[in-house]
Amino acid sequence: MHTATTAAPGAAARTGTRTTRVIGVLALATTAFVVVSAFFLTPADSVQGDSVRIMYVHVPTAWVAYLAFITTAVASGFSLARRHRTLGFDRVAGASGEVGVLFMAMTLLTGSLWGRLTWGTFWQWDPRLTTTLFLFVTYVGYLAVRRIDTDPRQRARRSAVIALLAVLEIPLVHFSVVLWRSLHQEASVLSPDGDVRLDDLMLFTLFAGVAAFTLIFAWLVIHRQRLTALADIRQTVGLDAAIALRRSETRGVVK
Amino acid sequence: MNVALSVARKDLQIEWRTRMVLARVVPFALLVMVLFAVALDSEPLVLRAAAGLVWLATLFSTMLVVQRAFDIETADAAIDTLLACAVHPARVFFGKALALFVQLFALVVVLVTAAMVLYGVTVSGSRVVLLVTVVISATSGLALVGTLYGAVVANMNGRDSLLPLLALPVLAPLLIGASRATEAAFGSQTIDMANGWAWVGLLGVYGIVFGAAGSAAFSPLTESDS
Amino acid sequence: MNVALSVARKDLQIEWRTRMVLARVVPFALLVMVLFAVALDSEPLVLRAAAGLVWLATLFSTMLVVQRAFDIETADAAIDTLLACAVHPARVFFGKALALFVQLFALVVVLVTAAMVLYGVTVSGSRVVLLVTVVISATSGLALVGTLYGAVVANMNGRDSLLPLLALPVLAPLLIGASRATEAAFGSQTIDMANGWAWVGLLGVYGIVFGAAGSAAFSPLTESDS
Amino acid sequence: MTNSVASDTTIHLSNAVVALGGFPALAGVTFGVGRGELVALRGANGTGKSTLLRLCAGLVPLTRGVAVVAGVDLLVNRVAVRPHVGLLGHRNGLYGDLTAKQNVQFVAGLVGATASDVSSALERLGIDQRVASTQASLLSAGQRRRTALAALIVRRAQLWLLDEPHAGLDAAARRELDVILRDATASGATVLYTTHEIDQVVGTPRTITLDGGCVASDVAATIGSAP
Amino acid sequence: MTNSVASDTTIHLSNAVVALGGFPALAGVTFGVGRGELVALRGANGTGKSTLLRLCAGLVPLTRGVAVVAGVDLLVNRVAVRPHVGLLGHRNGLYGDLTAKQNVQFVAGLVGATASDVSSALERLGIDQRVASTQASLLSAGQRRRTALAALIVRRAQLWLLDEPHAGLDAAARRELDVILRDATASGATVLYTTHEIDQVVGTPRTITLDGGCVASDVAATIGSAP
Ligand code: HEM
Ligand SMILES: Nc1ncnc2c1ncn2[C@@H]1O[C@H](COP(=O)(O)OP(=O)(O)OP(=O)(O)O)[C@@H](O)[C@H]1O
Ligand SMILES: Nc1ncnc2c1ncn2[C@@H]1O[C@H](COP(=O)(O)OP(=O)(O)OP(=O)(O)O)[C@@H](O)[C@H]1O
Ligand SMILES: [Mg+2]
Ligand SMILES: [Mg+2]
């Protein structure tokens, strides 16, 4: 994807480029539209009232979290296939995983707030909710493995394997509603039988939300990934110094 | 494949010598089953709970057996020699998964029998076939996934706690599928045989996916150990 | 008693460095809570189940933390030096139990909070006092019993599976007492506050008995190791 | 995977750097070892001897530089080198729950060695009937080391890497070890071992001394070093 | 519990038998070691040297015979001997997750040694700043051994039992170790150590040789064995 490794030392001090600035501006604009539309333009739901407005955050974060986890898996696949070369894909995978966990946490948070408003409780033992929680915990475990301080290539391999297995849980979350009878909304976007009836503007706002969060996701991942790249570069520079030190330090001192 | 058999035989030899699964994990699993019943104080422990408890207990026991399977490899760095001699890491993977399968299978047989006795379940006719198929397919799945994750965390500091964290969410679908299918085999009202077989299909797919993933992923995993 | 504090500090120092309980056992415990709810598919998961699940998850986590606490001692035979320097083995016992208590306490606080969110429990007034007392007394009991049994199995081959086997039956009364008292604190219909306090008394007695037993028994235990 | 050596060089290192957790345990090592050579690695504690052996065995990744071992480029695929290499590390690689004999038999089964290979290896290392049938975890430190050496002999690797093989062995076993290493090189294997011992029963083989993660000296074998 | 030695004998063994899992690792050992003596234990692998040290440290039970160590009768209460004894076994007794320095500090805290004791012990064993602040599990084998020795110095035990203390140490550390052992005996401690090394930088101290779980020979120190 993007590698900052080619940048000159001076330019490497920043993680922004024109592309990311464009993405940033677009993200801000779409977000602004979603906020305005969600609060003022779209109608309240006949059954749920104003609480339906949570949907414009809840659903996009869920979908973009899926996107993030899939990105992690794809990047992990590449990283495994080319494991003897660079760590670029591994950095993307890690960055995307972090953002995915963040968004999934937002899904859980908004979902339980919404649940409090509509079901009266923060949590229900429902397949969709439970599998979402599993998915979340799986990626928390993924990040835990990434945090373990070993050789970066080894870490890349281990976490890539985990990411490729973990992504298999997404269909499980998505189809859990079909597999088990469920309290949770069933595909209200696609079939208009659910409690929430979406008019065109609502649908538009929802997808605008998806676009906004996707842009935010891209912006965050690009920056995060470059940041780790820079850290790696610094470590490489640090390695040169460490090698010099190691060579001088012991020679002649012992015996 | 000869290597895989050697590895499996070695693991079972060690099990035979130490009787860890036989003498400790089996009682542990039985205990877990009883503890749950106590903690939840479920008045009429229905069939669905019986089936669920069997697989819950198996799941937790799997963590113990997997940990043990990789502790013997890493305690004195024996895995280094093993991987060097095996040429293909996938052979080691299947060997260890096979040994795990045998141990877990024995465990599940005991637990299912216990559940049938404790909850007064009788299984006959076509239900027996379903039950046997469920046990075999779910146990294979557990063995494959367990071995894979065991390898992921092998040699890591504090792996005892990392293994359940990583493996349990992945094994949760297996748990659910196996529980439901076992319920069907136990003759629960809430689920019919056809549905039970559908779950078995899912378990099979799960096993195949993880078998393939495991044999492919084991090699990069074993490059580790810095 | 200075020795006990040194030992506790050392254990917490290691925990701080590896973040094992913080980063892994806590998520594991949360997972156990969720898994049970799923496997048993309890439609109306009542308050009694909420309380029971908190303590079940704590119980299983205790096994992990205890194992870890003694693995660091035996991995490189550090316990030999420790016991030699401590003069009285009881000091080591209390030091390790103290560190265990601190870690388990943090864990239980998280789990109780999670249970309150997941099951929509609110606790106020005198119930808070009961809840805090239960958590402290049950956690002390777990820490004392856990340390004692951890020492029993320390250095044994395959101790990962032996510990739960030995400790779980002894801890079962604690589990029941803590669950019932927590239920009362959660405001369940099936048990009143007075009853809750009675259970707390029992927990206290349990803790005292095992504290005394532990400090007495730790010394002969450490004589083993042939 | 099977690109065996065509040339006569078993180990070729050029400015090899191995960083462990950011610390350059090897800070640029350059040397070559030919097929059939016997080389002793020396150096103070922490100078990188074990790391060097583990690098050659494919157990730690090369951070920078060139390392070709048994014809395998370690930068490209360090797993491929493993089948060619027999490593005896600071740890013995035994299964504590199996007997000494079962341990050696297991390795023999993996590499296709015969039962007579097993018993001759055990005999060579003075592992008698009683010791052979005792669980490895109950053996004395030296007996465990001997068992690990027996397993190594059975492997008949092309490159032997031994990390302080003399440590823990008694005088008789040390003498036998020296004979075993000579025999291995005579039959075409390459041997690289580390040692802190000052006296060398073995005569003096080529000796490479490490210091601060680099080669400090490389002294050829003294003539007349036959055992 | 505090019946410290009144006599001048630190170790008194008479026909001591130690059976491990039915096998008599010590099959009747008789000897005495006076206060302030330095004694080397020798013998082939598996002859019972480690078992003897572990017996004296109160870690394995005496099966038969008499064993009085630091005034404590091991048949009566082998736990009581522990505070008097500093044991360095085949394993180092370190916490892998703590740094080298933290390990030594922990022992110092237990026995009430000061911070300056810690730093002087570390310095003596050549554990520099970097190594001292590295996690013990990441150190090289020799660095770990040095750390364990530093912890032992800090303990200032009355009886030192060392199982192959030279193994894994480089030449400089071996020399320092010999000085440390001499110093310990000079300050009144008794030292019993095992070794397989043939050359002894230390001069030749009193040497007890074990064979088959019994004392085969007991040779007094050579005169002029000062370091
Ligand atoms: C903690 C509680 C909740 C969690 C963890 C959660 C999780 C999720 C997830 C993961 C998705 C994406 C599903 C997919 O497309 O695969 C989703 C979608 C959705 N959620 Fe929730 N949710 C929660 C509560 C709620 C509540 C209370 C409501 C409304 C009453 C709600 C309404 C929706 C809707 C309308 C969708 C889009 C559904 C579709 O078209 O598939 N959620 N939720
Ligand atoms: N993760 C790490 N962080 C910092 N330093 C490390 C790390 N891993 C290894 N080291 C250092 O790298 C060096 C590794 O040395 P190595 O084990 O190769 O030494 P050696 O020559 O075998 O020593 P010995 O003779 O003691 O066995 C040591 O100085 C050790 O402290
Ligand atoms: N449980 C057991 N069953 C059978 N034999 C045992 C058992 N425990 C120990 N042994 C034997 O007792 C002896 C113990 O020897 P010990 O460890 O004291 O030897 P050592 O002199 O220290 O040898 P080394 O030089 O190899 O360290 C060994 O021969 C070992 O095989
Ligand atoms: Mg080394
Ligand atoms: Mg010994």
Side-chain angles (χ1 to χ4, degrees):
Chain A
M1 221 176 172
H2 307 266
T3 33
T5 36
T6 48
R14 274 175 289 126
T15 56
T17 60
R18 193 186 302 151
T19 323
T20 61
R21 272 191 291 278
V22 170
I23 293 176
V25 169
L26 283 177
L28 281 176
T30 6
T31 308
F33 167 77
V34 174
V35 170
V36 171
S37 178
F39 280 112
F40 306 110
L41 306 181
T42 54
D45 188 71
S46 52
V47 185
Q48 301 196 356
D50 280 332
S51 72
V52 77
R53 302 186 197 279
I54 294 180
M55 177 177 69
Y56 305 116
V57 176
H58 176 73
V59 179
T61 48
W63 288 351
V64 178
Y66 289 174
L67 175 68
F69 296 151
I70 292 168
T71 309
T72 299
V74 172
S76 297
F78 279 110
S79 149
L80 265 191
R82 310 178 170 210
R83 62 178 174 274
H84 303 296
R85 297 191 211 141
T86 65
L87 289 171
F89 283 110
D90 177 59
R91 287 193 284 262
V92 174
S96 184
E98 283 175 2
V99 179
V101 166
L102 183 74
F103 282 13
M104 200 89 263
M106 287 171 71
T107 309
L108 283 161
L109 202 74
T110 52
S112 47
L113 289 176
W114 199 357
R116 176 77 199 182
L117 294 173
T118 55
W119 309 326
T121 55
F122 285 109
W123 191 262
Q124 291 275 353
W125 291 107
D126 152 278
R128 164 65 58 81
L129 271 56
T130 309
T131 48
T132 308
L133 194 60
F134 282 155
L135 188 65
F136 178 72
V137 172
T138 305
Y139 280 90
V140 169
Y142 170 78
L143 294 185
V145 170
R146 291 194 68 88
R147 258 204 318 279
I148 288 177
D149 164 48
T150 47
D151 167 52
R153 284 165 196 277
Q154 175 183 344
R155 191 191 59 206
R157 278 188 303 273
R158 286 187 166 173
S159 50
V161 169
I162 296 170
L164 284 171
L165 295 176
V167 76
L168 300 176
E169 284 179 49
I170 291 182
L172 210 80
V173 179
H174 187 75
F175 295 114
S176 59
V177 204
V178 188
L179 285 171
W180 295 271
R181 67 203 153 49
S182 175
L183 274 176
H184 194 272
Q185 299 299 313
E186 291 192 29
S188 10
V189 176
L190 301 177
S191 75
D193 303 339
D195 293 353
V196 185
R197 296 202 171 270
L198 298 179
D199 68 18
D200 287 347
L201 181 60
M202 288 172 83
L203 205 59
F204 186 81
T205 311
L206 183 64
F207 280 105
V210 173
F213 278 102
T214 308
L215 288 167
I216 295 173
F217 159 72
W219 191 86
L220 282 173
V221 168
I222 292 170
H223 278 276
R224 184 80 183 99
Q225 165 292 121
R226 286 199 184 143
L227 205 66
T228 39
L230 287 181
D232 287 358
I233 292 173
R234 199 179 61 185
Q235 213 170 33
T236 315
V237 175
L239 185 61
D240 287 325
I243 289 175
L245 187 67
R246 171 92 162 134
R247 285 181 164 169
S248 63
E249 133 190 291
T250 3
R251 181 161 296 171
V253 175
V254 176
K255 281 170 282 170
Chain B
M1 263 333 185
N2 195 14
V3 168
L5 290 181
S6 288
V7 172
R9 214 193 53 195
K10 183 259 305 169
D11 276 16
L12 293 174
Q13 218 171 8
I14 292 179
E15 160 57 21
W16 183 245
R17 200 168 248 281
T18 58
R19 306 277 157 83
M20 210 204 63
V21 173
L22 222 63
R24 302 194 200 147
V25 176
V26 170
F28 165 74
L30 288 171
L31 214 70
V32 170
M33 277 176 64
V34 175
L35 265 185
F36 281 123
V38 171
L40 302 177
D41 197 18
S42 333
E43 298 80 22
L45 243 184
V46 284
L47 293 180
R48 94 169 321 164
L53 284 181
V54 166
W55 289 107
L56 259 181
T58 308
L59 197 57
F60 282 99
S61 309
T62 304
M63 299 296 107
L64 293 180
V65 185
V66 169
Q67 234 131 40
R68 166 83 179 150
F70 282 90
D71 276 356
I72 58 178
E73 298 292 346
T74 54
D76 195 30
I79 187 104
D80 290 348
T81 312
L82 176 52
L83 287 169
C85 298
V87 185
H88 284 296
R91 296 182 186 165
V92 177
F93 173 75
F94 283 112
K96 293 206 74 82
L98 179 60
L100 193 58
F101 172 80
V102 172
Q103 297 173 60
L104 291 179
F105 185 77
L107 172 73
V108 175
V109 168
V110 174
L111 293 186
V112 169
T113 315
M116 293 185 358
V117 172
L118 288 177
Y119 304 106
V121 181
T122 43
V123 177
S124 62
S126 66
R127 296 198 187 290
V128 175
V129 182
L130 176 59
L131 187 59
V132 171
T133 320
V134 175
V135 168
I136 290 179
S137 57
T139 309
S140 319
L142 281 174
L144 291 168
V145 179
T147 307
L148 187 53
Y149 278 89
V152 170
V153 303
N155 241 336
M156 281 188 184
N157 194 356
R159 59 188 167 284
D160 289 8
S161 50
L162 199 54
L163 177 66
L165 178 58
L166 292 175
L168 286 183
V170 176
L171 290 171
L174 249 172
L175 169 72
I176 296 168
S179 303
R180 292 289 173 276
T182 307
E183 252 178 87
F186 279 1
S188 160
Q189 309 294 322
T190 54
I191 183 166
D192 61 9
M193 288 287 285
N195 233 317
W197 280 108
W199 280 114
V200 170
L202 218 100
L203 292 179
V205 171
Y206 214 80
I208 290 167
V209 168
F210 272 90
S215 61
F218 207 71
S219 170
L221 283 180
T222 58
E223 273 177 48
S224 51
D225 192 19
S226 73
Chain C
M1 260 340 192
N2 194 15
V3 168
L5 289 181
S6 289
V7 171
R9 215 193 54 196
K10 183 259 305 169
D11 276 16
L12 294 175
Q13 216 171 7
I14 291 179
E15 160 58 19
W16 184 244
R17 199 169 249 281
T18 58
R19 306 275 158 82
M20 212 204 63
V21 173
L22 221 63
R24 302 196 201 146
V25 176
V26 169
F28 164 75
L30 288 172
L31 216 67
V32 170
M33 277 177 63
V34 176
L35 264 185
F36 281 122
V38 170
L40 303 177
D41 196 21
S42 332
E43 298 80 22
L45 244 183
V46 285
L47 293 179
R48 91 171 322 162
L53 284 181
V54 166
W55 290 106
L56 260 182
T58 308
L59 199 57
F60 282 99
S61 310
T62 303
M63 301 296 108
L64 292 181
V65 185
V66 169
Q67 233 132 42
R68 167 83 179 150
F70 283 89
D71 275 357
I72 58 178
E73 298 294 346
T74 55
D76 194 32
I79 188 104
D80 290 348
T81 312
L82 176 52
L83 287 169
C85 298
V87 184
H88 285 295
R91 295 180 187 167
V92 177
F93 173 76
F94 283 113
K96 293 206 75 79
L98 178 60
L100 193 57
F101 172 80
V102 172
Q103 297 174 60
L104 290 179
F105 184 77
L107 173 72
V108 175
V109 169
V110 174
L111 291 186
V112 169
T113 315
M116 293 186 356
V117 172
L118 290 177
Y119 301 102
V121 181
T122 43
V123 177
S124 62
S126 68
R127 295 197 187 290
V128 175
V129 181
L130 176 58
L131 188 59
V132 171
T133 319
V134 176
V135 168
I136 290 180
S137 59
T139 309
S140 320
L142 282 174
L144 291 167
V145 180
T147 308
L148 185 55
Y149 279 86
V152 171
V153 302
N155 241 336
M156 282 186 185
N157 194 356
R159 59 189 168 282
D160 288 8
S161 50
L162 198 55
L163 177 66
L165 182 57
L166 292 175
L168 286 183
V170 178
L171 291 171
L174 251 173
L175 170 73
I176 297 170
S179 303
R180 292 288 172 278
T182 308
E183 256 176 60
F186 279 0
S188 160
Q189 309 295 321
T190 53
I191 182 166
D192 61 9
M193 288 286 286
N195 234 315
W197 280 108
W199 280 113
V200 170
L202 218 99
L203 292 179
V205 172
Y206 214 80
I208 291 168
V209 168
F210 270 90
S215 61
F218 207 72
S219 169
L221 280 181
T222 59
E223 271 180 48
S224 52
D225 187 22
S226 74
Chain D
M1 204 110 183
T2 48
N3 40 357
S4 271
V5 237
S7 85
D8 238 20
T9 313
T10 306
I11 300 177
H12 168 73
L13 300 180
S14 174
N15 217 5
V17 173
V18 171
L20 301 174
F23 179 78
L26 292 185
V29 171
T30 306
F31 68 84
V33 177
R35 182 204 285 263
E37 253 191 292
L38 175 66
V39 179
L41 265 181
R42 291 178 163 280
N45 291 138
T47 46
K49 303 180 295 300
S50 299
T51 309
L52 180 55
L53 295 188
R54 292 173 64 78
L55 170 70
C56 293
L59 289 176
V60 292
L62 182 68
T63 307
R64 257 191 231 171
V66 178
V68 182
V69 174
V72 177
D73 185 346
L74 295 183
L75 213 50
V76 175
N77 183 359
R78 65 195 167 81
V79 173
V81 83
R82 285 190 196 148
H84 306 296
V85 172
L87 173 74
L88 177 72
H90 282 299
R91 294 193 289 173
N92 292 314
L94 300 178
Y95 295 100
D97 294 316
L98 296 181
T99 66
K101 186 166 188 178
Q102 283 173 329
N103 266 291
V104 180
Q105 278 171 334
F106 175 58
V107 172
L110 290 177
V111 298
T114 65
S116 78
D117 290 342
V118 171
S119 48
S120 85
L122 287 173
E123 198 180 322
R124 236 181 136 165
L125 281 146
I127 299 169
D128 62 26
Q129 201 55 47
R130 187 190 74 76
V131 174
S133 59
T134 304
Q135 234 178 290
S137 62
L138 299 176
L139 293 175
S140 83
Q143 288 166 342
R144 274 201 298 276
R145 202 75 180 150
R146 287 170 183 236
T147 309
L149 281 166
L152 192 68
I153 292 182
V154 161
R155 281 202 53 196
R156 275 201 238 93
Q158 183 183 330
L159 171 62
W160 294 35
L161 302 170
L162 303 104
D163 209 349
E164 296 183 40
H166 300 88
L169 294 182
D170 61 25
R174 281 168 196 228
R175 274 194 302 276
E176 184 59 32
L177 173 63
D178 289 335
V179 178
I180 289 169
L181 297 188
R182 291 284 174 192
D183 286 0
T185 52
S187 68
T190 308
V191 178
L192 192 58
Y193 71 96
T194 71
T195 183
H196 288 299
E197 316 289 297
I198 296 153
D199 62 298
Q200 280 297 135
V201 193
V202 74
T204 316
R206 173 177 168 198
T207 302
I208 295 175
T209 308
L210 292 187
D211 197 0
C214 302
V215 175
S217 74
D218 187 343
V219 181
T222 320
I223 314 233
S225 61
Chain E
M1 205 114 179
T2 49
N3 39 357
S4 272
V5 237
S7 87
D8 238 21
T9 314
T10 308
I11 300 178
H12 168 72
L13 299 181
S14 174
N15 217 5
V17 174
V18 172
L20 300 174
F23 178 79
L26 290 185
V29 172
T30 306
F31 68 84
V33 178
R35 181 203 288 263
E37 252 192 293
L38 174 66
V39 180
L41 265 181
R42 292 179 162 278
N45 291 138
T47 46
K49 303 180 294 300
S50 299
T51 309
L52 180 56
L53 294 188
R54 293 173 62 78
L55 170 70
C56 293
L59 290 176
V60 292
L62 182 67
T63 309
R64 246 191 245 167
V66 177
V68 181
V69 174
V72 177
D73 185 346
L74 295 183
L75 214 50
V76 176
N77 181 359
R78 65 195 167 82
V79 172
V81 83
R82 286 190 194 148
H84 307 296
V85 172
L87 173 73
L88 177 71
H90 283 299
R91 293 191 290 171
N92 291 315
L94 300 178
Y95 296 100
D97 294 314
L98 296 181
T99 66
K101 185 165 187 180
Q102 283 173 329
N103 267 290
V104 180
Q105 278 171 334
F106 175 59
V107 172
L110 291 177
V111 299
T114 65
S116 77
D117 290 342
V118 171
S119 48
S120 84
L122 288 173
E123 197 181 323
R124 232 179 140 166
L125 281 146
I127 298 169
D128 63 26
Q129 201 56 47
R130 187 191 74 75
V131 173
S133 60
T134 303
Q135 233 179 291
S137 62
L138 299 175
L139 293 176
S140 83
Q143 287 166 340
R144 273 200 297 276
R145 202 74 180 153
R146 286 169 184 237
T147 310
L149 281 167
L152 192 67
I153 292 181
V154 162
R155 280 202 52 196
R156 275 202 239 94
Q158 182 183 330
L159 171 62
W160 293 34
L161 302 169
L162 303 103
D163 209 349
E164 296 184 40
H166 299 88
L169 294 182
D170 61 25
R174 280 168 196 227
R175 275 193 302 273
E176 184 59 32
L177 174 63
D178 290 335
V179 177
I180 289 169
L181 297 187
R182 292 283 174 191
D183 285 359
T185 52
S187 69
T190 308
V191 178
L192 192 58
Y193 71 97
T194 71
T195 184
H196 289 299
E197 316 290 296
I198 298 154
D199 62 296
Q200 280 297 138
V201 192
V202 74
T204 315
R206 174 179 168 196
T207 302
I208 297 174
T209 308
L210 292 187
D211 197 359
C214 302
V215 175
S217 74
D218 187 342
V219 182
T222 320
I223 315 231
S225 61

